[in-house]
Amino acid sequence: MSTAYNPKEAEKKWYNYWLENGYFKSVPDEREAYTIVIPPPNVTGILHMGHMLNNTIQDVLIRKARLNGYNACWVPGTDHASIATEAKVVAKLKAEGKSKYDLSREEFLDKAWEWTHEYGGKILTQLQSLGASCDWDRTKFTLDEDMYESVIKTFIDLHNKGLIYRGYRMVNWDPEAKTTLSDEEVIYQEKQAKLYYINYKIEGLDEQICIATTRPETIFGDTAICINPNDERFTHLKGKKAIVPIIGRSIPVIEDDYVDIEFGTGCLKITPAHDENDKMIGDKHHLEVIDIFNDDATLNKHGLHYEGQDRFKVRTAFTNELKEAGHLQKVEAYTNKVGLSERTKAVIEPKLSDQWFLKMKDLAKPALDAVLKSRDIKLFPSKFENTYKHWLENVRDWNISRQLWWGHQIPAFYYNDKKDYVVAKTKAEALKLAKQKSGLDLTEKDLVQDEDVLDTWFSSWLWPISVFNGINEPNNKEFNYYYPTKDLVTGPDILFFWVARMIMAGYEYTDKKPFENIYLTGLVRDKKGQKMSKSLGNSPDALKLIDQYSADGVRVGLLLSSAAGNDLLFDEALCQQGKGFGNKIYNAFKLINSWEINSDIQQPEHSKLALNWYTSKFAESLQLIEDHFSKYRISDALMASYKLVWDDFCSWLLEIIKPAYQQPIDAKTYHRIIELFENNLKILHPFMPFITEELWHQIKKRNKNEALIVSDWPSAETIDQDLLKGFSFSSEVISNIRNIRKQKNIAFKNPINLSVINSEQTDQRFDSIISKMGNIEQLTYVDSKIENTISFRVKTNEYFIPIQGAIDVEAERKKLSEELNYLEGFLKSVDKKLSNKRFVDNAPEKVVAIEQQKKADAEAKIETVKKSLESL
RNA sequence: GGGUGCGUAGCUCAGUUGGUUCAGAGCAUCUGGUUUACACCCAGAAGGUCAGGGGUUCGAAUCCCUUCGCACCCA
């Protein structure tokens, strides 16, 4: 075996081995199912740090479940990402000098599919290099035929239930992508802007009224001036009319206490078509609505001589015109927040348009109850419950339509000059319905399907159901077997628009929760605390990382500092640590493997004892690890395994049983250490699947039914507490010996003698271990202090190591005095507690007993130290 | 502006019901060590006003109030 582990070869080899033998594959059987559905990454996406973290956690959970004997099923897939994909295709067309509108819808969709097949889904292959044990035969895509059908069916159903309606609403319009965005797809950014003060003439009076606005170009759409009814400055203007400058239109002065008297001039221009609040006031006062923009945010005919020009150009030009005409009073610097499209970065234009909405209130209730009342669904960490609650209690209707082509086309068919519509799966069905509804003699030609598609989330909210075809065939065998799923692993940033909605869909369509536990990972940030993103360019290349540190190493590195829900400041050093751990495990095996076995030699006492100790230690750690897993404390589970293997197994156990250089090992010890090592591999497998499988097969040749990935999780053995206590006492003794060796420059290879006053009556079996680990030639039990020695104490036991040459009595005295000082101070604080009547009366018995024990221990130890001091 | 969360060692973070082992872990640092499985190593050490202030309690990193700082979500 070589000195260092070579992961590259092993990782490729074992992933293929797992694939070939179908270990990832799941078919329903008599075992209990353990299902995880992947949060479908964007089909256009490539693997980044967030995916790596998220999918590593899922793989850990699914591999552990597999070892625990569940029928583990991890369903992979991607979503079609309407906006992102369409943007890519549009960009590609643009590069070819074409526009989307040069193509028919069908032609465009062909291009999009072409694009998807060529570039899409790469991320799934990338997940394989991470070791993801998904059942790849189940890979789903939100535009697969059955998935498509599920979405359409759901739309029709919700429409028939009256939950989907059509509304003329203010939406976030992305003028570049020419589509509506959800609130979640808009990023607000602070921008340096200007506040323009503009005068409007009052009709019939020789007076002007001044308004402040950040958007003078919207003046073309003004339909009122609003004042606060309590504002005495403007009382005389009630019922008057104002003249819109340049345009010359006459608009009413209205009153509404929405207006903040303090802000700006206390006067507001109302542009209902282009501002949400203005729309609200407009509705209240029955104002006219004038839309001044085209779809690309150039001005339309209402913009008069600016028709066809961009909104920002018009802002400048129109301001100049106002200035020249004497309407502009002043301009002030002003910081405000501007909404930008997450995808195109274009400034969002609030726009009124026809959209489809889903009523959320009734759907939200069961979702709220499931998490907060019945606790059917658990959130890890639970701190997100507040956020979840807040959002669902203040939920707004969901705008589910998008002005795009790539996606599920809304199954609404218009007729009668678009004045009426019916909702149906096919045009034929729609025709039937339309005829019934209208009584008209229509043909298919009279029907026009809605151009828009549904929000991508409207397909992914069905994901846990639809991947098992549970919408189309609610009683199919697979769906009944795998659903509800077990865990969902995702980021808190999509708690609302994905997780909560899946829960709603779950209860609406299956009467069941879609999953039991939600594990929310943190965001991956760089060392500076910035979120890792493509746009910042601070995300390391995922595949390069794997190449450099091995998949196992990267998995460990990511998990080491990723407590659930807490952001993870990513540092490559963590991957190095992960890789180093792999190397450690490899070398542990290399050592064991190098031993020559001799069945004639007796098992040494220290080996027997140490093996028994590790068995108990393992059982104890296993319990701890299980506890961490049960609370989704994955990084703690890993750290517990890490310490067990590195510290307890390698640093203690192997060092104890290691035969002298080039000496053989007894067969009994050898066979037991192999068993124990195999158990280590089992608990490490979920975290580091590759190296563990590799070593598992190096231990001995195994057939395909004996692979580690499908072996059994170690079962709990009894923990011998006395053994653990005795060992930890002994390790303290060994530590002290090492300290003294270091202080006195006694190299480890030089044996020394040790004498002990065994006041604690410790188990003498451990002497063999102390002797081996301390390189003690002679261990003697004595009754009193030995001259010319240096001493140390563990509890009330006193140990003496003879030293050549003069003993520094002063130094020894100083050391003892310091110990005494500390102990007396400690005793004093314990005494103080115990003499406090209120403590003794109020504290639980157990706590008081502990304090009494501390007192007794301290007193005994003080006696020992005092005696030593006297004898000096 | 409204909401939520956070502040513990140089760094990243645990600390579960207020009570033992409560002030911890890993990394980094420092000291010593290598013909020996691993320098991707071994052994050891140092490092803290638990953000500041106040309160409740026999007892507070933990509960309450407040100030400061940070992050996220919503408008």
Side-chain angles (χ1 to χ4, degrees), chain A residues 50 83 315 524 578 676:
Chain A
I83 300 179
R315 183 179 299 174
V524 183
L676 294 175

Side-chain angles (χ1 to χ4, degrees), chain A residues 81-92:
Chain A
S82 280
I83 300 179
T85 311
E86 185 151 329
K88 301 248 182 197
V89 178
V90 168
K92 196 173 173 227

Side-chain angles (χ1 to χ4, degrees), chain A residues 580-794:
Chain A
F581 187 38
N583 192 54
K584 184 72 185 177
I585 300 162
Y586 172 84
N587 272 288
F589 176 70
K590 195 179 138 195
L591 174 68
I592 297 169
N593 199 37
S594 72
W595 291 331
E596 184 198 330
I597 308 153
N598 186 332
S599 25
D600 297 334
I601 42 177
Q602 276 277 313
Q603 182 177 42
E605 179 65 23
H606 58 253
S607 296
K608 185 180 162 198
L609 189 60
L611 289 165
N612 285 340
W613 160 76
Y614 187 78
T615 305
S616 268
K617 186 74 203 175
F618 184 90
E620 188 190 49
S621 295
L622 187 64
Q623 217 173 60
L624 180 67
I625 291 163
E626 291 281 18
D627 185 56
H628 285 318
F629 267 115
S630 75
K631 293 167 182 158
Y632 289 81
R633 304 173 73 106
I634 312 292
S635 72
D636 287 340
L638 170 59
M639 188 43 79
S641 315
Y642 181 93
K643 285 200 263 194
L644 174 72
V645 170
W646 199 306
D647 299 343
D648 297 314
F649 187 81
C650 294
S651 297
W652 284 109
L653 181 58
L654 287 183
E655 290 302 329
I656 294 171
I657 65 160
K658 190 179 187 174
Y661 185 49
Q662 291 192 328
Q663 293 299 304
I665 193 165
D666 68 278
K668 220 169 163 182
T669 300
Y670 181 82
H671 292 306
R672 184 64 187 145
I673 200 79
I674 289 287
E675 282 170 13
L676 294 175
F677 188 70
E678 286 181 342
N679 281 342
N680 288 346
L681 292 181
K682 287 178 179 178
I683 60 167
L684 289 172
H685 179 78
F687 304 111
M688 311 175 85
F690 293 107
I691 188 170
T692 49
E693 189 76 76
E694 164 75 21
L695 295 178
W696 182 257
H697 290 267
Q698 283 202 24
I699 290 170
K700 64 178 179 211
K701 200 164 163 40
R702 315 205 191 223
N703 67 36
K704 65 176 229 164
N705 295 322
E706 296 164 338
L708 179 58
I709 186 176
V710 288
S711 67
D712 301 318
W713 189 252
S715 47
E717 292 192 40
T718 47
I719 303 168
D720 182 339
Q721 291 294 350
D722 289 340
L723 200 52
L724 292 178
K725 269 187 206 150
F727 190 90
S728 112
F729 188 93
S730 308
S731 64
E732 218 176 306
V733 174
I734 294 162
S735 261
N736 273 290
I737 295 169
R738 283 168 175 166
N739 265 332
I740 287 171
R741 279 179 174 279
K742 187 170 174 177
Q743 277 164 28
K744 298 295 163 192
N745 280 318
I746 307 166
F748 182 79
K749 56 186 172 192
N750 300 325
I752 53 175
N753 291 332
L754 181 72
S755 304
V756 54
I757 304 176
N758 191 13
S759 319
E760 294 284 330
Q761 305 287 317
T762 56
D763 189 338
Q764 297 189 10
R765 284 186 302 167
F766 287 101
D767 293 354
S768 58
I769 287 177
I770 294 172
S771 297
K772 171 142 194 197
M773 298 304 281
N775 198 8
I776 304 296
E777 191 161 49
Q778 242 185 351
L779 202 162
T780 331
Y781 284 78
V782 294
D783 295 326
S784 58
K785 188 187 181 315
I786 313 290
E787 294 301 319
N788 292 324
T789 55
I790 197 158
S791 70
F792 64 86
R793 281 145 296 281
V794 177

Side-chain angles (χ1 to χ4, degrees), chain A residues 91 124 300 309 388 428 707:
Chain A
L124 298 180
N300 62 20
Q309 294 185 38
Y388 182 86

Side-chain angles (χ1 to χ4, degrees), chain A residues 374-389:
Chain A
S374 68
R375 309 263 161 194
D376 261 8
I377 300 175
K378 289 184 272 304
L379 274 177
F380 295 91
S382 57
K383 67 177 178 188
F384 287 108
E385 282 174 7
N386 281 336
T387 334
Y388 182 86
K389 179 167 181 255

